[in-house]
Amino acid sequence: MVSPGALRVVRCGGSALRGARAVFSADSKQVGRGAGAAAYLLCASGDFVKVYSVSTEETLRLMGGHADLVTGVQLNPHNHMQLYSSSLDGTIKLWDFMDGIPIKTFTVGSKLLALYAPASAEDSVFVVIPKRGERDTFQLVSVKLTKGAGQDLEAKELSVVLDGVGASMKHIAFGREGAYVVSVKDVNLQVYFFKRKLLNRFSLSTVKTKGGDNRFSCVVCHPTEDCIATGHADGKIRLWRNFHHRKEYTYSALHWHHDIVMDLAFSVEGTRLLSGGVESVLVQWHNESSCQKDFLPRLGSPIEYISMSSDGALCCTLHTDNRITIINSNLRFSRSIQGLIKSRDVKTGLVVDPRTKALVLNGEPGHLQFYSLQSDQQLFSLDIVQRQYIHQAGLKQSDLVKVAFSAQGTWLATVEESEEVTDPELQLKLWFYHEELQSFQLNTRINTPHDNHITDMCFRDMEELGDDSLILVTTGRDCVFKVWVMVEDTDPEAQQSVSWSCDFVGSYHNYQATNCCFSEDGSLLAVSFEETVTVWDSLTWDLKCTFCHPPGNIRNICFGRLTCSKYLIGATDYGFLCCWNLLTCALEWSAHLNVVVLQPDPLSEHIAAVSWLSKESSLFVFKPNEPRPIYIQRNLCQEKILLAAFVPRDEPEMISSEKYLWLRKSQLFFLTDTQELMTLSTKPLEEKLTPSSKQLAVEESLPVTPFSLLLGKHRRQQAQEDIDLGKPVVHNKQEQASPAVKELLHTPAHVLPSASFLCTIFINSLLISKENKSAEEVADEVEMESGKAEDDSDEEDVTEMEQEDTSHMELLGETRCKLSKSQEKDLRKIRKMDYSWISAF
């Protein structure tokens, strides 16, 4: 357990949405027909279960509670408002996903790799667990869910169903009405019949002939017939029948995919079969015939999972790049939910867009993705390479490798290169942000800006000097760095008023240039050449000084900021972290640390250094003027951290502990080698909701009804109008304390009792009890008010409004204006003012 206020690592996005098949809630049919009812899509995402709205694509809920990766989500077959989830932490959780509330937690005590909840099982579920004492061997077992009071229960009653099964949930399927279960692994297929307790095994040839590969990749069962569909590594689909007999079984083959079939799904009626693979094409087969098939192409990336809604109105595909595609029953694209795209290699690093505060990095091949940290969804994708990507192994294609923004986000520089190692094709592109189009437009394309790979680039943006100060620096393995500046385009037919060209080329002893960065004020440029760091004047391009720390090439460099701007920090690949003083041109201090990430905070003097040693990543936060770190976090995570970025907060965070003050203005995010996006937080884990769904959060974490939402909005607007007009705000204590009103407005509709039961209680709660005051109390109040009116002392203005007893004047048909104490004071001052001097005029 983490103590309150301690810093913890939180998975904040990028977790694979393809950890298991997604499931639709039971009312997806109504949404598919446009009736407007809410339908949900439930997905495993890292340690959490995400609840998406099918109609709005928003993340409505992030249900957390598991301590490790979620490996399966299944609707409770006996209550479709509930959801089972399994995890590698060895627990099965039962959720009320409408409210995001965990109902039960069943501790199994072994890693759970897949979960199945067939309707035929009354009080049990099926899971895949590792076999004790054997490596990479798994079993399908039945888990009896214990009934009892309390939320945490033990579920130790396990029954082994099948041995030697695959670890993926795609390798096991349950037959019609749960009469049998099918398992595939390698070239072997097993069918176990529950009633007869009979196990049939079937094997295919292991010999690869004519490019064929018989290994099984996935299996599904027909919903109404005794038919099994299996996918194979060579792209074939086999349909098995008569498998009740070991020797009389038959199968037919369908073939369109040129590579592995990654998943299969039958329609609800069983008349159609859907298949998907690396071609990013959803194939629909009719009547088990290779001649009758439909296609939905260009889905963006390989299809990992296919899921059908219970009514057949919708299906969804989960892709390897973390995308969810929702498709109508007529095989027409409906909508897409895109999280953080899992690209093959994040070569651009983590860059922050100054305009949107979005993380910018490699997305689809040749694209730049802008990822919102608040909504855990992609804002938009910018096509940089502008070429069709071909999914073919060994084919050399161009990809995006470097990205840099100007300080205001008006200019974007990108570098794309081919995968050739010796003679790469290079292109440097400059993009300008178009305010009207709200997008980046290509301004300048420069072919072969360097003779070899570009290693780094950065902008100088000195606001006090205007646009003339905006320059771009690139470094390359061709042993030079180049300075690019904007020039006016003299061509009258040119579409752009300005373009970019090379202004200066610098080098140092024919060493390869590896890194570059500008000082905070833009006056100095630091460029590393292998083991040496050079510092240049950015106005005259004179070499000012050099720093050297052999052995080891410079891996990262950065300038200090604010009060530490006189320091330059560098990390070498031989495990040294060095700090040089720019005023004395000497080494200030050094530390023996294998730093793989060096990231300065743009809003403070703090610098974060991440080291990798002995299969663990550690975090060190320091100021350059102090050789001792202000924060150390050993074993930050088991994965290797490759990239990090400080993202400025919209408002400074309230930090209770002094040692975490470095997180006050910016939040640190880092990306692991498994492309998990993580962050550091001092707060307990909370639901991450989109702005519109945040309005549904009320006390006790219960969602409000639409009626309550509208009523509350109206009351807030009315109260604000009253305050603006100077009216007294009167709170009805009877209404606030009414349990009947709370129960009616704050309880989900599907669990409310009947209206006849609530009607009497609700009506009675609206009746205001009569409170009679004695004559003495009324007389005392009147006397106190009259005493206040005669008080002429200068007091502080009071903004509260007083309620006066005016009932006796209203009976006479008179009304009296209600004034505040400050207004009454002003009137008294006016009455006492001497106006006799006016008579002289």
Side-chain angles (χ1 to χ4, degrees):
M1 295 295 292
V2 181
S3 59
L7 202 61
R8 70 198 71 190
V9 178
V10 179
R11 283 185 174 89
C12 58
S15 297
L17 296 171
R18 51 190 175 89
R21 283 195 186 100
V23 296
F24 285 92
S25 61
D27 54 353
S28 60
K29 183 177 181 180
Q30 296 176 343
V31 173
R33 295 182 178 179
Y40 305 102
L41 186 67
L42 303 108
C43 303
S45 177
D47 300 354
F48 310 102
V49 178
K50 284 186 178 178
V51 183
Y52 291 100
S53 168
V54 173
S55 57
T56 65
E57 307 170 19
E58 290 181 311
T59 306
L60 299 179
R61 246 167 238 105
L62 188 68
M63 300 192 298
H66 285 293
D68 209 331
L69 294 178
V70 176
T71 55
V73 288
Q74 292 283 315
L75 287 180
N76 184 353
H78 310 296
N79 186 342
H80 290 294
M81 296 299 179
Q82 296 177 352
L83 179 82
Y84 286 113
S85 65
S86 64
S87 169
L88 292 180
D89 64 4
T91 63
I92 298 171
K93 287 185 179 290
L94 178 64
W95 304 86
D96 180 349
F97 66 84
M98 298 291 290
D99 298 338
I101 300 172
I103 302 172
K104 297 282 185 183
T105 299
F106 303 94
T107 302
V108 180
S110 179
K111 285 187 177 181
L112 310 180
L113 292 100
L115 173 70
Y116 309 90
S120 57
E122 291 294 330
D123 55 354
S124 61
V125 295
F126 294 85
V127 294
V128 175
I129 63 172
K131 189 174 183 179
R132 290 185 180 180
E134 297 186 28
R135 190 177 180 181
D136 296 332
T137 305
F138 306 96
Q139 296 174 313
L140 176 69
V141 300
S142 172
V143 180
K144 186 175 179 60
L145 300 180
T146 310
K147 294 182 179 179
Q151 190 172 358
D152 297 321
L153 301 171
E154 296 282 336
K156 301 295 185 181
E157 191 174 336
L158 308 181
S159 302
V160 178
V161 179
L162 283 175
D163 263 326
V165 301
S168 171
M169 73 169 304
K170 295 188 287 187
H171 295 163
I172 295 175
F174 284 79
R176 61 178 181 87
E177 300 177 357
Y180 52 88
V181 61
V182 185
S183 167
V184 295
K185 186 178 182 182
D186 296 330
V187 292
N188 302 311
L189 182 146
Q190 301 182 85
V191 184
Y192 180 75
F193 299 92
F194 288 100
K195 288 186 178 180
R196 294 191 291 166
K197 295 184 179 180
L198 175 67
L199 177 62
N200 286 346
R201 289 189 175 95
F202 308 95
S203 297
L204 296 175
S205 173
T206 58
V207 179
K208 297 180 181 180
T209 58
K210 298 181 180 180
D213 189 346
N214 290 331
R215 287 176 300 156
F216 290 96
S217 58
C218 54
V219 60
V220 291
C221 293
H222 198 284
T224 59
E225 301 176 8
D226 288 333
C227 175
I228 300 171
T230 58
H232 297 265
D234 59 1
K236 289 181 182 178
I237 301 170
R238 286 182 169 89
L239 298 171
W240 302 70
R241 294 185 182 276
N242 205 26
F243 45 81
H244 298 82
H245 308 281
R246 292 188 179 183
K247 296 183 178 180
E248 298 177 8
Y249 71 92
T250 61
Y251 64 77
S252 58
L254 307 173
H255 199 184
W256 178 86
H257 298 276
H258 81 276
D259 209 327
I260 183 172
V261 179
M262 300 184 74
D263 202 13
L264 296 166
F266 275 106
S267 63
V268 176
E269 304 84 3
T271 57
R272 296 173 292 124
L273 176 66
L274 300 175
S275 64
V278 297
E279 303 88 359
S280 308
V281 177
L282 184 65
V283 184
Q284 180 174 262
W285 308 83
H286 298 272
N287 301 322
E288 304 177 13
S289 171
S290 293
C291 300
Q292 299 182 23
K293 53 184 177 290
D294 300 318
F295 304 96
L296 181 60
R298 295 185 292 276
L299 292 179
S301 64
I303 297 171
E304 184 80 23
Y305 287 102
I306 305 173
S307 301
M308 295 291 301
S309 62
S310 58
D311 51 34
L314 299 172
C315 80
C316 81
T317 54
L318 273 64
H319 299 257
T320 55
D321 68 349
N322 232 13
R323 185 202 312 267
I324 301 174
T325 304
I326 300 174
I327 301 163
N328 292 325
S329 57
N330 58 359
L331 213 65
R332 292 292 180 267
F333 173 85
S334 176
R335 51 187 61 87
S336 177
I337 300 171
Q338 178 67 71
L340 183 66
I341 289 181
K342 300 281 191 177
S343 59
R344 295 180 304 164
D345 188 11
V346 183
K347 301 175 183 178
T348 61
L350 286 184
V351 185
V352 180
D353 178 14
R355 289 179 172 271
T356 61
K357 300 296 188 297
L359 279 184
V360 180
L361 64 160
N362 288 100
E364 299 177 35
H367 287 67
L368 198 61
Q369 64 170 320
F370 289 70
Y371 169 76
S372 171
L373 293 162
Q374 288 73 27
S375 62
D376 188 21
Q377 290 188 15
Q378 187 185 108
L379 295 180
F380 63 94
S381 179
L382 184 63
D383 189 357
I384 301 296
V385 176
Q386 298 177 348
R387 294 181 189 174
Q388 182 67 34
Y389 185 84
I390 302 173
H391 293 272
Q392 181 175 336
L395 186 63
K396 304 296 184 182
Q397 302 181 76
S398 294
D399 201 3
L400 182 64
V401 295
K402 299 293 176 187
V403 168
F405 283 93
S406 63
Q408 304 303 315
T410 53
W411 286 95
L412 167 66
T414 62
V415 175
E416 59 194 69
E417 63 181 36
S418 64
E419 297 174 343
E420 296 288 346
V421 178
T422 55
D423 187 20
E425 261 182 55
L426 295 176
Q427 276 198 350
L428 172 64
K429 293 180 179 178
L430 280 302
W431 308 73
F432 181 74
Y433 187 80
H434 200 290
E435 291 287 351
E436 294 182 359
L437 300 177
Q438 293 288 295
S439 181
F440 285 96
Q441 302 293 311
L442 182 61
N443 176 272
T444 305
R445 179 189 287 109
I446 302 169
N447 293 317
T448 319
H450 285 259
D451 294 334
N452 207 331
H453 293 275
I454 293 178
T455 56
D456 200 6
M457 67 177 177
C458 61
F459 275 99
R460 183 193 73 175
D461 201 351
M462 300 164 64
E463 296 180 7
E464 65 274 9
L465 298 181
D467 291 339
D468 295 338
S469 69
L470 186 62
I471 62 176
L472 176 70
V473 173
T474 57
T475 58
R477 292 184 188 172
D478 56 354
C479 304
V480 299
F481 73 90
K482 292 187 178 182
V483 179
W484 308 86
V485 298
M486 284 190 295
V487 295
E488 293 186 5
D489 204 327
T490 57
D491 187 357
E493 298 182 358
Q495 297 180 353
Q496 310 287 349
S497 58
V498 296
S499 60
W500 291 75
S501 65
C502 184
D503 182 63
F504 178 78
V505 179
S507 64
Y508 183 77
H509 293 296
N510 206 31
Y511 295 149
Q512 287 188 357
T514 53
N515 298 278
C516 62
C517 66
F518 279 100
S519 60
E520 185 179 14
D521 61 358
S523 61
L524 296 177
L525 169 69
V527 181
S528 63
F529 290 89
E530 298 182 10
E531 297 180 353
T532 306
V533 179
T534 60
V535 181
W536 306 73
D537 188 325
S538 66
L539 295 179
T540 61
W541 301 117
D542 293 331
L543 179 62
K544 291 297 183 182
C545 62
T546 61
F547 302 109
C548 187
H549 195 284
N553 294 329
I554 301 296
R555 181 183 285 169
N556 296 297
I557 56 173
C558 69
F559 281 95
R561 304 182 68 85
L562 302 176
T563 60
C564 299
S565 58
K566 65 179 181 180
Y567 298 104
L568 177 65
I569 311 297
T572 71
D573 56 9
Y574 265 63
F576 283 95
L577 181 65
C578 308
C579 177
W580 293 283
N581 191 319
L582 295 171
L583 299 181
T584 62
C585 295
L587 180 67
E588 189 80 6
W589 55 264
S590 66
H592 189 60
L593 198 64
N594 183 32
V595 176
V596 293
V597 176
L598 190 67
Q599 187 63 41
D601 180 9
L603 300 182
S604 71
E605 298 93 343
H606 301 106
I607 297 176
V610 179
S611 69
W612 172 251
L613 187 64
S614 301
K615 297 183 179 180
E616 68 176 42
S617 294
S618 300
L619 173 66
F620 300 84
V621 180
F622 63 94
K623 290 183 179 181
N625 60 352
E626 300 176 7
R628 184 170 298 176
I630 62 173
Y631 178 78
I632 299 176
Q633 177 68 53
R634 302 279 184 183
N635 194 13
L636 188 67
C637 65
Q638 298 297 325
E639 298 90 354
K640 185 176 182 180
I641 296 175
L642 300 180
L643 303 166
F646 275 101
V647 179
R649 300 183 189 271
D650 295 331
E651 295 181 0
E653 189 82 8
M654 297 299 294
I655 304 294
S656 57
S657 178
E658 191 172 329
K659 64 179 179 179
Y660 304 139
L661 288 177
W662 58 276
L663 283 171
R664 184 171 178 268
K665 295 182 179 180
S666 301
Q667 189 171 3
L668 180 62
F669 293 86
F670 47 90
L671 194 72
T672 67
D673 54 356
T674 58
Q675 296 195 27
E676 291 277 349
L677 184 64
M678 299 181 178
T679 187
L680 296 171
S681 176
T682 57
K683 292 184 176 182
L685 185 62
E686 298 174 349
E687 286 191 348
K688 291 164 52 182
L689 303 177
T690 53
S692 61
S693 59
K694 279 182 180 177
Q695 300 172 12
L696 299 176
V698 295
E699 62 271 19
E700 299 175 355
S701 301
L702 292 176
V704 295
T705 61
F707 173 65
S708 174
L709 183 64
L710 292 173
L711 184 62
K713 183 178 180 181
H714 171 73
R715 284 176 176 168
R716 287 192 299 271
Q717 290 177 347
Q718 187 64 41
Q720 186 62 41
E721 291 174 1
D722 292 345
I723 293 172
D724 295 341
L725 295 173
K727 296 181 181 180
V729 180
V730 182
H731 297 285
N732 188 341
K733 295 182 180 178
Q734 178 76 14
E735 177 187 331
Q736 286 183 336
S738 170
V741 175
K742 265 193 172 183
E743 184 175 6
L744 181 63
L745 298 183
H746 293 171
T747 305
H750 65 281
V751 295
L752 273 177
S754 63
S756 60
F757 176 80
L758 287 175
C759 184
T760 305
I761 303 175
F762 178 65
I763 295 298
N764 289 335
S765 70
L766 300 180
L767 299 177
I768 302 174
S769 61
K770 186 176 182 181
E771 297 179 358
N772 294 325
K773 294 184 178 181
S774 64
E776 290 83 7
E777 290 175 340
V778 176
D780 289 341
E781 288 182 12
V782 175
E783 184 176 352
M784 289 174 63
E785 290 174 3
S786 62
K788 289 179 183 177
E790 295 172 359
D791 185 10
D792 293 337
S793 61
D794 293 334
E795 301 177 291
E796 283 187 40
D797 292 344
V798 181
T799 57
E800 286 186 3
M801 310 300 291
E802 296 184 10
Q803 295 288 325
E804 295 185 357
D805 189 0
T806 58
S807 57
H808 58 286
M809 285 183 282
E810 290 175 354
L811 291 176
L812 298 174
E814 299 177 0
T815 58
R816 180 176 175 181
C817 180
K818 301 173 184 178
L819 300 177
S820 66
K821 289 193 66 176
S822 59
Q823 291 171 329
E824 289 178 352
K825 283 173 59 180
D826 292 337
L827 284 175
R828 287 197 296 271
K829 290 177 182 179
I830 293 173
R831 282 200 301 267
K832 293 179 180 180
M833 196 171 291
D834 184 13
Y835 296 99
S836 59
W837 57 274
I838 301 179
S839 60
F841 299 94

